[in-house]
Amino acid sequence: VFGQAEKQRISFEFYSESNPENFQIDVCDAKGKRLIQLIHDHENQLHANNGEKIQLISETLSKGTWNKIIIDYNSSSATYNISVNGQTVVQKNKMTAKGNPERIDFRTGEYRLDRKISKFKSENKQTPGYDEPNADVPKEEAVFYIRSFSTQTVN
């Protein structure tokens, strides 16, 4: 999906219908290391990382409408810009590390495993649900849509 250029643009449209928990968007390198993190929270606010720190970048995204998200990044300077619905909301934020983005993850909730991929949260594989307590407890449905995803080289 991603080209091998120093400067690229990722764009997509995002629609939130039901948002009881965080919706996370991670731009990662080839090995899955997170370089850029966006969080759409349950109050329809958008947050992004600046280095290791997460900050509020947009007061609200319109629920029930399509929102255009554009991420322009420069892998050599490890910086990125974000615009939402044509308005620039982030300029020259720092990526968490230098690297070439090669994939994007869209998910609800936190990443399930600790940094050591073989270590589960509860550390007890004999207990049902050891990797995620209360995984069988019903939750309110989260409904999100993504369309018009594209990447392109930027000069």
Side-chain angles (χ1 to χ4, degrees):
V1 174
F2 292 81
Q4 293 298 312
E6 179 180 301
K7 297 178 182 179
Q8 289 200 58
R9 170 171 288 167
I10 301 168
S11 65
F12 57 90
E13 292 179 64
F14 173 79
Y15 184 99
S16 171
E17 186 173 300
S18 172
N19 188 21
E21 295 187 29
N22 292 345
F23 182 76
Q24 301 199 20
I25 302 162
D26 293 340
V27 178
C28 304
D29 68 8
K31 294 184 178 182
K33 183 174 184 174
R34 180 188 300 147
L35 303 174
I36 299 170
Q37 179 181 23
L38 296 174
I39 301 170
H40 177 250
D41 70 18
H42 65 280
E43 296 175 341
N44 293 314
Q45 297 177 326
L46 190 63
H47 305 259
N49 71 296
N50 190 359
E52 294 292 329
K53 184 179 178 184
I54 299 292
Q55 63 187 38
L56 177 67
I57 62 168
S58 180
E59 289 300 321
T60 56
L61 290 180
S62 299
K63 187 175 182 179
T65 62
W66 287 101
N67 294 279
K68 177 85 172 181
I69 311 283
I70 297 175
I71 305 169
D72 290 318
Y73 67 84
N74 182 329
S75 58
S76 68
S77 65
T79 59
Y80 67 95
N81 305 327
I82 297 176
S83 66
V84 177
N85 297 325
Q87 294 243 322
T88 301
V89 294
V90 163
Q91 284 189 310
K92 295 190 177 179
N93 262 20
K94 294 179 183 173
M95 295 163 63
T96 57
K98 274 197 170 189
N100 291 320
E102 292 194 24
R103 64 185 186 190
I104 190 163
D105 297 332
F106 298 99
R107 72 171 183 282
T108 56
E110 296 294 326
Y111 186 66
R112 292 173 20 136
L113 300 177
D114 289 341
R115 291 190 186 271
K116 290 174 74 177
I117 206 74
S118 62
K119 181 180 176 188
F120 290 92
K121 287 181 180 178
S122 72
E123 299 183 35
N124 184 352
K125 294 181 182 181
Q126 303 303 314
T127 306
Y130 65 90
D131 61 337
E132 193 66 36
N134 301 316
D136 57 342
V137 176
K139 295 233 177 196
E140 183 182 341
E141 183 178 38
V143 180
F144 303 98
Y145 300 98
I146 304 291
R147 73 175 182 193
S148 303
F149 179 85
S150 68
T151 61
Q152 67 186 60
T153 303
V154 178
N155 294 331

